[in-house]
């Protein structure tokens, strides 16, 4: 009943947001918890997932943490068991397999290292409920998680072989999940379009059993999506599509770290004056955990308030455009703590449908929650 009610509500919201029926909505929005499966523990009606109205949930698993473990040990991992439990509640799931090299090269063909990688892949997918998983992405961020000296032909060969082993695992166990390659970062930047990237994109295009590619884009200006999607769309087959399992305006917010506080905000909270810059105030806000103050901070600073419809705008102008085959985009579920935030810090702290580190509890975030609610969920 809960699932049916949620879907009916979604249909109404989609009609109001886009003036189209649910069946014609091309791109769904879902939630992303990165590697923090502990955020999936509460599946009650009062939990964040139910309150968000999401249907799709995305998580990555750091495979390096599970090498050498038994199947039972992996099954008992809290993040993985929480992810598996989603299926019984009617959620659709995406799992990215994160292969961090941690200073090592990719193991070659027929080596024990490569066999160990295949082994942990099978154990993780089985433990996460492979029979019910909807989408498996072969990597997480290959070009962030591979040291620069190892981004070469060995990397290309390894990811191709892993993709094939995931296909074999699917076939041998009669599973039905879709397989994607990725995720590929910030493709609006020419520097990201390396030989290894184009080789992996070509492999995905040439492999009839690969459903598409996954993109991660944390950028500064919304217009950069056109370059990302123009390029990505040109690299795939007409029957393939695109996932966007991570995206945000992180770099836009980071560019304002050194800005002075807005006069209206400073007058309200520092009547005796302050020299605080934005980055310093973010530390204060995490200490205060005052929900109203966090709301005022975002509302009174134009660089934040001007972006409060980013989600709706990116769907309208890019994800929902017919020339861009975006299937699902997942946005951060909850804000995380950044207690060492500094002037050079990446501004992840603004992300999250629910605020947490700057609020008194897991509350709907001023910047994103309304738009998220209004967008199609499947």
């Amino acid at each position: 009943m809960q699932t049916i009610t949620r879907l009916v509500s979604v249909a109404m919201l989609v009609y109001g947001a886009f003036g189209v029926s649910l069946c014609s909505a091309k791109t769904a929005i879902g939630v992303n918890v990165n590697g923090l499966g502990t955020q999936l523990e509460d599946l009650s009606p009062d939990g964040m997932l139910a309150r968000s109205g999401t249907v799709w949930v995305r998580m990555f698993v750091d495979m390096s943490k599970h090498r050498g473990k038994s199947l039972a040990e992996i099954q008992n991992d809290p993040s993985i068991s929480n992810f598996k439990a989603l299926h019984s509640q009617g959620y659709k799931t995406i799992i990215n397999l994160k292969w961090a090299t941690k200073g090592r090269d990719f193991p070659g063909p027929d080596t024990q290292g490569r066999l160990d990688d295949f082994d942990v892949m099978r154990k993780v997918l089985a433990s996460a409920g492979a029979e019910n998983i909807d989408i498996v992405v072969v990597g997480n961020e290959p070009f962030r998680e591979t040291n620069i000296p190892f981004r070469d032909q060995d990397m290309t060969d390894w990811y191709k072989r892993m993709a094939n082993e995931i296909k074999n695992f699917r076939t041998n166990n009669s599973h039905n999940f879709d397989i994607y390659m990725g995720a590929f970062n910030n493709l609006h930047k020419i520097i990201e379009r390396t030989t290894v990237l184009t080789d992996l994109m070509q492999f995905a295009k040439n492999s009839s059993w690969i459903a598409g590619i996954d993109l991660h884009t944390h950028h500064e200006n919304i217009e950069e999506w056109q370059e990302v999607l123009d390029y990505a769309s040109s690299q795939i087959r007409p029957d393939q599509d695109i996932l966007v399992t991570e995206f945000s305006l992180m770099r836009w917010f980071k560019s304002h770290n050194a800005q002075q506080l807005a006069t209206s905000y400073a007058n309200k909270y520092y009547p005796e004056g302050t020299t605080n810059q934005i980055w310093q105030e973010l530390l204060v806000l995490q200490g205060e955990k005052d929900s109203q103050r966090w709301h005022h901070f975002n509302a009174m600073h134009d660089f934040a308030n001007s972006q409060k419809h980013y989600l709706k705008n990116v769907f309208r102008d890019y994800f929902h455009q017919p020339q861009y085959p975006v299937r699902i985009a997942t946005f951060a579920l909850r804000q995380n703590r950044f207690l060492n935030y500094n002037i050079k810090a990446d501004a992840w702290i603004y992300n999250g449908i629910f605020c947490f580190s700057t609020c008194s509890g897991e509350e709907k975030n001023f910047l994103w929650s309304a738009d998220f609610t209004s967008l199609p969920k499947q």
Side-chain angles (χ1 to χ4, degrees):
M1 180 64 69
Q2 178 182 341
T3 300
I4 293 172
T5 301
R6 181 168 66 236
L7 292 179
V8 170
S9 299
V10 167
M12 295 172 65
L13 289 168
V14 171
Y15 186 87
F18 290 97
V20 295
S21 66
L22 182 63
C23 62
S24 66
K26 181 177 71 71
T27 306
I29 194 169
V31 300
N32 163 41
V33 298
N34 287 314
L36 302 174
T38 51
Q39 293 182 9
L40 304 174
E41 186 172 358
D42 187 355
L43 296 181
S44 74
D46 296 324
M48 288 187 292
L49 285 180
R51 289 160 60 201
S52 75
T54 195
V55 174
W56 284 96
V57 181
R58 178 262 180 179
M59 183 181 83
F60 74 69
V61 176
D62 186 343
M63 307 300 277
S64 67
K65 295 181 178 180
H66 298 290
R67 284 193 185 94
K69 289 184 179 180
S70 68
L71 179 63
E73 288 175 312
I74 296 174
Q75 288 173 332
N76 289 328
D77 178 87
S79 286
I80 291 176
S81 60
N82 287 347
F83 183 85
K84 182 179 181 180
L86 294 171
H87 304 128
S88 64
Q89 299 299 309
Y91 292 102
K92 295 182 180 295
T93 55
I94 305 169
I95 190 167
N96 287 69
L97 306 183
K98 175 179 177 176
W99 303 98
T101 59
K102 298 185 183 299
R104 67 167 192 151
D105 200 354
F106 288 93
D110 302 320
T111 62
Q112 188 59 48
R114 185 169 287 196
L115 295 175
D116 290 344
D117 288 343
F118 297 157
D119 178 65
V120 72
M121 173 272 291
R122 289 187 284 266
K123 288 176 179 175
V124 164
L125 290 180
S127 300
E131 65 277 10
N132 293 310
I133 293 173
D134 295 280
I135 294 172
V136 174
V137 186
V138 177
N140 180 55
E141 293 187 346
F143 296 95
R144 296 294 178 271
E145 294 149 4
T146 303
N147 298 90
I148 291 175
F150 305 135
R151 297 177 194 173
D152 54 17
Q153 188 61 44
D154 288 345
M155 176 181 176
T156 304
D157 293 342
W158 187 94
Y159 270 97
K160 289 179 180 179
R161 189 63 233 163
M162 179 58 71
N164 275 283
E165 283 299 314
I166 292 172
K167 175 174 70 78
N168 293 340
F169 172 80
R170 180 180 68 177
T171 300
N172 294 340
N173 293 279
S174 300
H175 296 323
N176 295 310
F177 55 76
D178 293 332
I179 300 173
Y180 285 74
M181 289 298 292
F184 304 127
N185 297 82
N186 298 332
L187 295 183
H188 57 289
K189 298 183 177 182
I190 301 300
I191 195 173
E192 298 284 357
R193 302 177 191 178
T194 63
T195 301
V196 177
L197 179 133
T198 54
D199 285 349
L200 291 176
M201 299 267 271
Q202 190 64 43
F203 168 74
K205 183 176 183 177
N206 292 342
S207 302
S208 61
W209 45 271
I210 291 182
I213 58 174
D214 183 13
L215 306 179
H216 287 181
T217 303
H218 300 288
H219 59 111
E220 187 166 353
N221 300 303
I222 192 170
E223 294 79 11
E224 289 166 329
W225 272 112
Q226 181 169 344
E227 295 177 71
V228 173
L229 293 173
D230 280 348
Y231 178 75
S233 299
S234 72
Q235 302 301 307
I236 61 176
R237 301 188 311 268
D239 65 328
Q240 289 179 311
D241 54 40
I242 294 169
L243 306 177
V244 181
T245 57
E246 290 188 26
F247 69 105
S248 75
L249 278 171
M250 182 275 289
R251 297 188 186 282
W252 166 262
F253 288 107
K254 181 179 181 178
S255 71
H256 294 275
N257 277 348
Q259 180 178 312
Q260 295 297 313
L261 296 181
T263 301
S264 58
Y265 179 86
N267 288 344
K268 183 175 181 64
Y269 289 100
Y270 298 97
E272 297 181 1
T274 181
T275 59
N276 273 8
Q277 296 179 335
I278 294 297
W279 71 270
Q280 293 166 311
E281 188 64 15
L282 290 169
L283 291 171
V284 172
L285 288 162
Q286 290 182 87
E288 294 290 331
K289 294 183 73 69
D290 181 330
S291 303
Q292 185 177 55
R293 184 165 176 168
W294 173 243
H295 177 101
H296 288 159
F297 172 82
N298 286 286
M300 293 179 176
H301 287 89
D302 185 64
F303 76 87
N305 192 50
S306 65
Q307 302 300 332
K308 66 182 179 182
H309 291 304
Y310 167 71
L311 293 182
K312 189 175 289 187
N313 291 342
V314 79
F315 264 73
R316 180 195 65 208
D317 296 340
Y318 300 101
F319 296 171
H320 202 66
Q321 291 299 311
Q323 69 269 34
Y324 300 136
V326 179
R327 177 182 176 185
I328 306 154
T330 57
F331 193 74
L333 176 64
R334 196 196 75 179
Q335 178 193 48
N336 294 314
R337 291 188 180 94
F338 296 91
L339 300 181
N340 295 317
Y341 200 88
N342 59 70
I343 196 169
K344 296 181 179 180
D346 288 341
W348 305 115
I349 193 169
Y350 295 89
N351 291 351
I353 303 159
F354 293 90
C355 59
F356 175 69
S357 67
T358 57
C359 295
S360 57
E362 292 171 342
E363 302 177 21
K364 289 188 175 181
N365 201 342
F366 168 79
L367 285 175
W368 317 121
S369 61
D371 273 12
F372 186 89
T373 298
S374 74
L375 291 167
K377 304 302 187 297
Q378 66 172 16

